[in-house]
């Protein structure tokens, strides 16, 4: 069955980078690109009819301009409008079309994590049936370096599986933040230090076994590097992003109990790179 990518186009200038990335992904994967724009359902029917034609024409102009700007061939593409609540229609269309990925531009409330929860992007993430890509970087940037924070959770394993499946030629860095009980109180004790080192090595071996098991399920896998760093997961991740930003960050969009992860909200508020967010399972 032909793959389908769904791109939600809002006709803004900020949306162009995401549009270009969607076109490039469709070309590289041989997928069909479905581009939708969600209209206000409360407009008069006659206005909606006239607006549909104008919006589709604008999307075609943007498609042509973006392709020319990035020198991209035109993929198999469908341009369409739908009417309704924006995030709900994006989710509905993703289900109805059985899409493989949703591509969105990043939200505009930069530096305000407490406002992310109400954005279209965050609402789509909560219920999307497939990975969601939030794009901030130009499509000319190759995704050669991909950072994947990992732990032993089901969401983390599923995210790693998605990355291994979708990007077999990239270089993956698996980042695990660890914290050993007693470090603050006993960190200077030599016996404790030896015990801590053994525990960290045991943790590394366990992560390597988990990764090898996932890689064994797939035919072609990328180069993988495992990095363990001590500290709070969000602080470790943000420090890594500032020091050595990847081309793509892959995260699970849900934390414990199915709630939106505070790490996800913090990173969406101040993105350092393109972000792919995956279902928890």
């Amino acid at each position: 069955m032909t793959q389908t990518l769904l791109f939600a186009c809002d006709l803004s200038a900020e949306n162009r980078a995401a549009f270009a990335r969607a076109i490039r992904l469709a070309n590289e994967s041989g997928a069909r690109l479905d581009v939708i724009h969600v209209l206000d359902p409360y407009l008069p029917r006659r206005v909606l009819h006239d607006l549909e034609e104008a919006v589709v024409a604008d999307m075609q102009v943007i498609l042509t301009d973006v392709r020319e700007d990035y020198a991209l061939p035109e993929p198999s593409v469908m341009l369409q409008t739908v009417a309704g609540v924006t995030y709900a229609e994006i989710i509905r269309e993703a289900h109805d079309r059985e899409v493989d990925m949703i591509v969105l531009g990043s939200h505009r409330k930069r530096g305000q994590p407490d406002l992310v929860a109400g954005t279209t992007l965050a609402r789509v993430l909560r219920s999307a049936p497939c990975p969601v890509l939030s794009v901030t970087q130009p499509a000319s940037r190759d995704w050669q370096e991909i950072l994947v924070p990992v732990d032993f959770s089901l969401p983390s394993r599923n995210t790693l599986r998605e990355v291994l499946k979708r990007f077999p030629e990239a270089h993956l860095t698996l980042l695990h933040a660890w914290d050993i009980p007693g470090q603050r109180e006993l960190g200077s004790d030599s016996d404790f230090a030896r015990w801590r080192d053994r525990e960290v090595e045991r943790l590394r071996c366990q992560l390597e076994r988990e990764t090898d098991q996932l890689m064994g399920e797939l035919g072609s896998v990328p180069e993988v590097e495992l990095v363990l760093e001590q500290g709070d997961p969000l602080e470790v991740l943000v420090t890594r992003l500032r020091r050595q930003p990847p081309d793509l960050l892959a995260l699970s969009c849900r934390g414990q109990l199915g709630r939106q992860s505070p790490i996800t909200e913090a990173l969406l508020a101040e993105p350092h790179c393109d972000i792919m967010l995956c279902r928890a399972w």
Side-chain angles (χ1 to χ4, degrees):
M1 184 173 65
T2 303
Q3 289 185 328
T4 304
L5 303 181
L6 180 65
F7 173 61
C9 178
D10 66 7
L11 305 179
S12 68
E14 294 87 350
N15 213 219
R16 291 174 69 91
F19 205 159
R21 179 62 70 177
I23 296 170
R24 179 171 178 179
L25 286 173
N27 282 324
E28 290 175 348
S29 64
R32 187 184 75 191
L33 177 60
D34 288 0
V35 183
I36 64 168
H37 178 84
V38 183
L39 299 172
D40 184 348
Y42 297 106
L43 291 172
R45 183 175 300 178
R46 184 178 59 187
V47 174
L48 268 177
H49 180 269
D50 294 340
L51 191 57
E52 284 176 346
E53 294 183 359
V55 167
V56 170
D58 279 354
M59 286 195 291
Q60 182 61 61
V61 170
I62 295 173
L63 171 66
T64 302
D65 288 346
V66 168
R67 285 183 48 242
E68 291 178 352
D69 288 346
Y70 287 90
L72 296 169
E74 183 169 353
S76 173
V77 64
M78 181 175 68
L79 309 176
Q80 186 178 357
T81 63
V82 295
V85 179
T86 303
Y87 76 90
E89 292 306 315
I90 294 172
I91 295 167
R92 186 195 315 279
E93 293 297 327
H95 276 283
D96 290 348
R97 300 166 192 254
E98 298 182 347
V99 304
D100 300 280
M101 178 178 284
I102 299 171
V103 183
L104 300 172
S106 63
H107 81 98
R108 297 165 192 166
K109 296 179 173 64
R110 297 292 180 87
Q112 304 175 67
D114 55 330
L115 298 181
V116 170
T119 63
T120 295
L121 174 59
R123 289 174 171 176
V124 169
L125 292 177
R126 293 189 192 106
S127 303
C130 60
V132 179
L133 182 65
S134 172
V135 175
T136 59
Q137 302 299 317
S140 54
R141 181 173 178 173
D142 294 332
W143 287 344
Q144 296 178 337
E145 297 290 335
I146 301 177
L147 180 64
V148 188
V150 294
D151 55 23
F152 296 113
S153 67
L154 179 61
S156 172
R157 289 198 296 269
N158 185 61
T159 299
L160 180 55
R161 183 179 291 107
E162 287 285 349
V163 174
L164 289 169
K165 178 178 67 176
R166 294 173 183 274
F167 308 107
E169 298 181 359
H171 176 268
L172 265 61
T173 299
L174 310 186
L175 178 65
H176 180 80
W178 62 271
D179 192 17
I180 299 294
Q183 174 66 29
R184 181 177 300 177
E185 297 81 4
L186 303 174
S188 59
D189 183 87
S190 58
D191 290 337
F192 174 84
R194 285 192 291 272
W195 174 82
R196 178 198 60 206
D197 292 344
R198 288 197 301 269
E199 288 298 297
V200 172
E201 184 58 30
R202 185 175 65 83
L203 175 63
R204 175 182 293 277
C205 291
Q206 187 172 351
L207 283 168
E208 288 176 345
R209 285 196 301 271
E210 294 244 345
T211 304
D212 290 343
Q213 182 179 352
L214 279 175
M215 294 172 68
E217 298 173 4
L218 304 167
S220 178
V221 295
E223 181 184 352
V224 175
E225 174 188 4
L226 178 60
V227 176
L228 272 64
E229 294 191 13
Q230 182 181 6
D232 174 78
L234 178 56
E235 292 178 2
V236 166
L237 180 53
V238 170
T239 299
R240 176 82 184 200
L241 291 172
R242 290 172 177 167
R243 185 177 69 238
Q244 193 175 345
D247 301 312
L248 179 68
L249 172 66
L251 293 170
S252 168
C253 65
R254 293 180 184 271
Q256 293 180 342
L257 304 179
R259 298 192 183 107
Q260 190 86 2
S261 166
I263 292 179
T264 300
E265 293 183 356
L267 294 173
L268 291 176
E270 198 64 44
H272 297 267
C273 59
D274 293 337
I275 302 175
M276 185 178 79
L277 298 114
C278 301
R279 285 178 44 176
W281 49 271

